[in-house]
Amino acid sequence: MNTTPWENFAFDKLLLDPPRGGAIEALKAMRDPLPKKIVYVSCHPGTLARDSEYLVHVRGYRLNSVGVMDMFPHTNHVESMALFERE
């Protein structure tokens, strides 16, 4: 299995801003100790929902807050941000 440079670091906060396909592979690659907080920025509500389900039901995070920003007002695209926390 190939390793990435960030796999060997311990961190307590994580900012994710993945492409439209989401971050499921990165989330599955996370090792203990898991970060206490994850801010997830998403341009695709479907992949945010899928990845949120994984974070909550598999990794034990709690969805603390979520918001939507219309950064491109003349299009139908929105950015979503979600904060996940772990005790």
Side-chain angles (χ1 to χ4, degrees):
M1 178 175 173
N2 293 340
T3 61
T4 58
W6 53 267
E7 282 186 79
N8 297 320
F9 290 106
F11 44 89
D12 65 348
K13 295 172 189 75
L14 177 63
L15 172 63
L16 287 173
D17 188 5
R20 291 186 68 75
I24 195 69
E25 294 304 320
L27 296 174
K28 288 180 178 179
M30 287 191 317
R31 302 288 180 247
D32 288 331
L34 296 174
K36 293 180 181 178
K37 293 184 180 188
I38 297 175
V39 174
Y40 191 123
V41 180
S42 177
C43 64
H44 190 275
T47 55
L48 175 60
R50 179 202 62 206
D51 295 351
S52 296
E53 181 179 19
Y54 178 80
L55 284 170
V56 171
H57 295 292
V58 176
R59 291 297 193 153
Y61 283 87
R62 177 177 49 90
L63 178 59
N64 185 307
S65 60
V66 67
V68 177
M69 292 167 286
D70 187 5
M71 296 179 63
F72 311 102
H74 299 292
T75 71
N76 62 353
H77 298 286
V78 296
E79 294 288 315
S80 303
M81 288 183 65
L83 172 62
F84 296 91
E85 293 184 302
R86 185 178 164 86
E87 300 274 332

